[in-house]
Amino acid sequence: MSQIIIMAAILIYLAAMLGVGFYCSKQNNSVDDFYLGGRKLGPFVTAMSAEASDMSSWLLMGLPGVAYLSGVASAAWTAIGLAIGTYVNWLIVARRIRVYSKAYEAFTVPDFFAKRFGDKKGILTGIAALMIIIFFIPYTASGFAACGKLFANLFGMDYLPAMLISAIVIVAYTTLGGFLAASTTDFVQSIVMTIALVLVVCFGVSMSGGVQNVLVVFGFGISKVGSFSAVMDNAKSMAGYFSLTHTHDVATGTASPYSLLQIFSTLAWGLGYFGMPHVLLRFMAIGDANKLKLSRRVATVWVVISMAVSVFIGVIGNAMTKAGVLPTLKDPETIILVVADLISKHGVLATIIAGLILAGILAATMSTADSQLLAASSSASQNILKEVFMKDMSEKTGMLIARITVLVIALIGVFIARNPDSSVFQIVSFAWAGFGASFGPLVLLALFWKRSTFQGALCGMVSGGGMV
């Protein structure tokens, strides 16, 4: 019965995302509409879609898993670096790239580079587009794979059909509605992700102490209620677990130093934001540049709170394991899946809430996959096909090619994702480093240094991307 309720909750969610795609498809009258939403995003959609498209299932699975296994140091420093990077990116890049891209009439990142540096031969455009394709197609594939694993684990399906179903839904609403659909669904998905994080924390704290009482959490009773102090006592009892300068060694139960080099390396994840095409596109697409200040505040607050909660989920999970509520997890990244399964055993309402949590994981993955898919397809169709080979392409032909390219890129992603054992984290690290190195410095210099040149842009992009 619980599986039926969970499946129904997820199917309703997927149907709603397809509905958004169908609605947004009616508002796409040009390639500009399809790839940049006609520059009419509101401040809240801009903020939340930018962050939801960035965070992915890493927020709900990867970060809690790191904290569960080795303590808060690595997870916390990574989160701090990303929070700082998010704020600074919104503060110094957002307005300038919105103003510059509109003045140049550029609606993709390679198009902006080309017009900023006077690339009339399409060299800079082609290489930038190639970088996006190289780094984003595997990233899209990792999203398909994560969704497939979720369905396969939940419902006992074979991995391949589960992955294909997920890919079809993502491709359907992205192909129909383009950037506006992707941004709108990302906004909804960020809300679902937030609900999932809050529910897991509330349930986890209530279960961590092993005390035989009853606490009503979001309308349903849970036995073995614990407390926040029980969670903290467990964290403090393990050597190096609740420290920013040490990590906990599970095998020996001892603390290992977290060096200054490791701290700066994890903080440096925040530098990658300056080169993330899917985030930069949100800056370019806001309807009113004066609303970017509001967007910055919303985005920063959401990122800080959601990552703090995500790290805390790992700490709670460890306490739940010590209290005997959860088994020792072989794969720490599955903690939210295990908690959702535990919640589903507490009645019909609890099962619906478990479905919401699982939909949150699905939302986190889909919100990233659709953005990567759209960015890769815009590079292939707009920046390579149109600007290099078919410069006199009509709007109608451009829209058709844009949609066909989304399908082709998705098929390549599905082919890559056919292997369920590939490492999602390694793929994400590869893409993040690639864009940070190839685009990050170039974006900053293009916006802030008048003496930057076409030759410098080309050399910086090729050397950064090539090194990664």
Side-chain angles (χ1 to χ4, degrees), residues 275-297:
M276 293 299 135
H278 53 297
V279 176
L280 297 174
L281 284 174
R282 265 64 182 187
F283 298 161
M284 293 162 63
I286 191 169
D288 183 357
N290 294 321
K291 297 291 179 65
L292 281 167
K293 186 175 182 179
L294 174 60
S295 296
R296 181 179 75 237
R297 290 173 176 171

Side-chain angles (χ1 to χ4, degrees), residues 20 24 27-28 33-34 37 40-41 177-185:
V20 171
C24 292
Q27 302 182 47
N28 288 326
D33 289 339
F34 188 80
K40 52 191 176 187
L41 293 189
F179 183 84
L180 190 59
S183 297
T184 305
T185 54

Side-chain angles (χ1 to χ4, degrees), residues 102-447:
K102 187 172 183 180
Y104 288 134
E105 295 185 353
F107 51 91
T108 66
V109 174
D111 192 28
F112 165 70
F113 289 152
K115 290 175 178 176
R116 164 65 177 83
F117 294 107
D119 175 27
K120 295 181 179 179
K121 295 182 179 179
I123 298 172
L124 205 59
T125 303
I127 292 178
L130 191 61
M131 290 289 181
I132 289 176
I133 292 170
I134 288 171
F135 292 119
F136 261 166
I137 290 182
Y139 207 162
T140 303
S142 73
F144 292 164
C147 289
K149 290 176 184 179
L150 175 62
F151 282 130
N153 289 333
L154 280 177
F155 307 119
M157 300 172 63
D158 289 336
Y159 166 77
L160 189 58
M163 184 270 291
L164 287 172
I165 291 170
S166 308
I168 288 169
V169 173
I170 295 169
V171 172
Y173 72 72
T174 305
T175 305
L176 282 170
F179 183 84
L180 190 59
S183 297
T184 305
T185 54
D186 287 351
F187 173 67
V188 175
Q189 287 158 349
S190 67
I191 295 171
V192 176
M193 289 159 64
T194 304
I195 293 171
L197 286 168
V198 171
L199 290 175
V200 171
V201 166
C202 290
F203 180 81
V205 169
S206 72
M207 296 291 281
S208 298
V211 182
Q212 297 294 329
N213 292 310
V214 174
L215 176 68
V216 176
V217 179
F218 290 98
F220 63 94
I222 300 173
S223 60
K224 287 189 179 180
V225 177
S227 65
F228 178 79
S229 61
V231 175
M232 299 305 294
D233 288 344
N234 175 74
K236 292 174 183 177
S237 69
M238 294 180 287
Y241 188 88
F242 203 63
S243 167
L244 291 177
T245 57
H246 290 77
T247 57
H248 179 69
D249 190 327
V250 177
T252 62
T254 58
S256 303
Y258 200 70
S259 69
L260 194 62
L261 176 61
Q262 288 175 301
I263 290 173
F264 277 106
S265 295
T266 47
L267 279 173
W269 273 74
L271 295 174
Y273 272 117
F274 301 123
M276 293 299 135
H278 53 297
V279 176
L280 297 174
L281 284 174
R282 265 64 182 187
F283 298 161
M284 293 162 63
I286 191 169
D288 183 357
N290 294 321
K291 297 291 179 65
L292 281 167
K293 186 175 182 179
L294 174 60
S295 296
R296 181 179 75 237
R297 290 173 176 171
V298 172
T300 305
V301 169
W302 186 82
V303 164
V304 170
I305 292 175
S306 62
M307 287 196 297
V309 171
S310 182
V311 173
F312 190 52
I313 285 173
V315 178
I316 291 170
N318 194 292
M320 291 174 75
T321 298
K322 290 293 177 64
V325 178
L326 291 181
T328 301
L329 302 178
K330 293 181 180 179
D331 182 359
E333 291 187 350
T334 62
I335 179 172
I336 288 191
L337 294 175
V338 176
V339 170
D341 181 62
L342 192 62
I343 291 175
S344 69
K345 295 181 170 67
H346 288 80
V348 175
L349 181 57
T351 303
I352 294 172
I353 290 173
L356 275 174
I357 292 171
L358 295 169
I361 300 172
L362 188 62
T365 307
M366 290 173 65
S367 64
T368 299
D370 59 21
S371 299
Q372 324 302 35
L373 181 59
L374 203 61
S377 65
S378 69
S379 296
S381 65
Q382 185 66 21
N383 301 130
I384 295 179
L385 286 177
K386 181 179 179 180
E387 295 178 15
V388 178
F389 298 108
M390 302 170 64
K391 295 185 178 182
D392 58 346
M393 185 189 301
S394 67
E395 285 289 350
K396 186 176 181 180
T397 304
M399 283 290 294
L400 178 62
I401 289 179
R403 288 192 163 105
I404 291 173
T405 310
V406 169
L407 293 173
V408 172
I409 297 283
L411 287 173
I412 298 172
V414 166
F415 178 77
I416 295 172
R418 72 191 189 283
N419 177 15
D421 298 322
S422 58
S423 172
V424 173
F425 182 77
Q426 286 182 357
I427 293 172
V428 171
S429 301
F430 172 67
W432 193 269
F435 288 125
S438 56
F439 288 169
L442 180 53
V443 167
L444 293 176
L445 293 175
L447 295 174

